Short mmCIF file of all heavy atoms in Angstrom, two decimals:
data_model
loop_
_atom_site.label_atom_id
_atom_site.label_comp_id
_atom_site.label_asym_id
_atom_site.label_seq_id
_atom_site.Cartn_x
_atom_site.Cartn_y
_atom_site.Cartn_z
N ALA A 8 17.59 119.75 106.93
CA ALA A 8 18.47 118.63 106.61
C ALA A 8 18.61 117.66 107.78
O ALA A 8 18.65 116.44 107.60
CB ALA A 8 19.85 119.15 106.20
N GLN A 12 15.00 115.33 118.17
CA GLN A 12 13.91 115.53 119.13
C GLN A 12 14.06 114.55 120.29
O GLN A 12 14.52 113.42 120.13
CB GLN A 12 12.56 115.35 118.46
CG GLN A 12 12.29 113.99 117.84
CD GLN A 12 10.91 113.92 117.17
OE1 GLN A 12 10.05 114.76 117.38
NE2 GLN A 12 10.70 112.89 116.35
N GLU A 52 4.63 97.35 89.52
CA GLU A 52 3.71 96.60 90.38
C GLU A 52 4.35 96.28 91.72
O GLU A 52 3.74 96.45 92.79
CB GLU A 52 3.30 95.32 89.66
CG GLU A 52 2.16 94.58 90.31
CD GLU A 52 1.70 93.39 89.46
OE1 GLU A 52 2.21 93.22 88.33
OE2 GLU A 52 0.84 92.64 89.95
N ALA A 60 4.18 99.37 101.84
CA ALA A 60 4.69 98.71 103.05
C ALA A 60 5.61 99.65 103.83
O ALA A 60 5.54 99.72 105.07
CB ALA A 60 5.44 97.43 102.67
N SER A 71 3.20 91.39 102.54
CA SER A 71 3.62 92.24 101.42
C SER A 71 4.83 91.66 100.71
O SER A 71 4.93 91.71 99.48
CB SER A 71 3.92 93.67 101.90
OG SER A 71 5.17 93.76 102.53
N LEU A 79 8.07 87.56 91.27
CA LEU A 79 9.42 87.33 90.77
C LEU A 79 9.65 85.89 90.31
O LEU A 79 10.75 85.56 89.86
CB LEU A 79 10.46 87.68 91.85
CG LEU A 79 10.43 89.09 92.42
CD1 LEU A 79 11.57 89.28 93.41
CD2 LEU A 79 10.51 90.13 91.31
N PHE A 97 26.16 102.69 97.26
CA PHE A 97 26.03 103.09 98.65
C PHE A 97 25.54 104.52 98.76
O PHE A 97 25.90 105.38 97.95
CB PHE A 97 27.37 102.94 99.38
CG PHE A 97 27.75 101.51 99.63
CD1 PHE A 97 28.55 100.83 98.73
CD2 PHE A 97 27.27 100.84 100.74
CE1 PHE A 97 28.89 99.50 98.94
CE2 PHE A 97 27.59 99.51 100.96
CZ PHE A 97 28.40 98.84 100.06
N GLU A 103 31.64 106.31 105.50
CA GLU A 103 32.27 107.17 106.50
C GLU A 103 31.67 106.93 107.89
O GLU A 103 32.39 106.83 108.89
CB GLU A 103 32.10 108.64 106.11
CG GLU A 103 32.86 109.07 104.87
CD GLU A 103 32.14 108.78 103.56
OE1 GLU A 103 31.13 108.02 103.58
OE2 GLU A 103 32.59 109.29 102.52
N ALA A 110 35.66 102.50 114.39
CA ALA A 110 36.86 103.05 115.01
C ALA A 110 36.62 103.39 116.47
O ALA A 110 37.54 103.35 117.30
CB ALA A 110 37.33 104.29 114.25
N ARG A 127 25.35 90.10 101.94
CA ARG A 127 26.72 89.59 102.07
C ARG A 127 27.72 90.60 101.52
O ARG A 127 28.78 90.85 102.11
CB ARG A 127 26.87 88.24 101.35
CG ARG A 127 26.35 87.05 102.13
CD ARG A 127 26.80 85.74 101.50
NE ARG A 127 26.20 85.54 100.19
CZ ARG A 127 25.11 84.81 99.97
NH1 ARG A 127 24.51 84.22 100.98
NH2 ARG A 127 24.64 84.65 98.75
N GLU A 161 11.84 82.37 108.70
CA GLU A 161 11.81 82.50 107.24
C GLU A 161 11.95 83.94 106.78
O GLU A 161 12.68 84.22 105.82
CB GLU A 161 10.48 81.95 106.70
CG GLU A 161 10.37 82.04 105.18
CD GLU A 161 8.97 81.73 104.68
OE1 GLU A 161 8.05 81.63 105.50
OE2 GLU A 161 8.81 81.59 103.45
N GLU A 201 13.29 100.28 120.14
CA GLU A 201 14.03 99.56 121.18
C GLU A 201 15.37 100.21 121.49
O GLU A 201 15.90 100.08 122.60
CB GLU A 201 14.27 98.12 120.70
CG GLU A 201 14.70 97.15 121.76
CD GLU A 201 13.55 96.71 122.66
OE1 GLU A 201 12.39 97.02 122.36
OE2 GLU A 201 13.84 96.05 123.68
N GLU A 216 8.66 111.01 112.10
CA GLU A 216 7.95 111.54 113.26
C GLU A 216 8.33 110.83 114.55
O GLU A 216 8.30 111.43 115.62
CB GLU A 216 6.43 111.42 113.04
CG GLU A 216 5.89 112.33 111.95
CD GLU A 216 4.51 111.89 111.45
OE1 GLU A 216 3.95 110.93 112.05
OE2 GLU A 216 4.02 112.50 110.49
#
Side-chain angles (χ1 to χ4, degrees):
Q12 60 181 345
E52 191 174 354
S71 78
L79 302 184
F97 287 94
E103 292 84 348
R127 280 193 294 263
E161 180 190 11
E201 195 76 9
E216 291 162 5

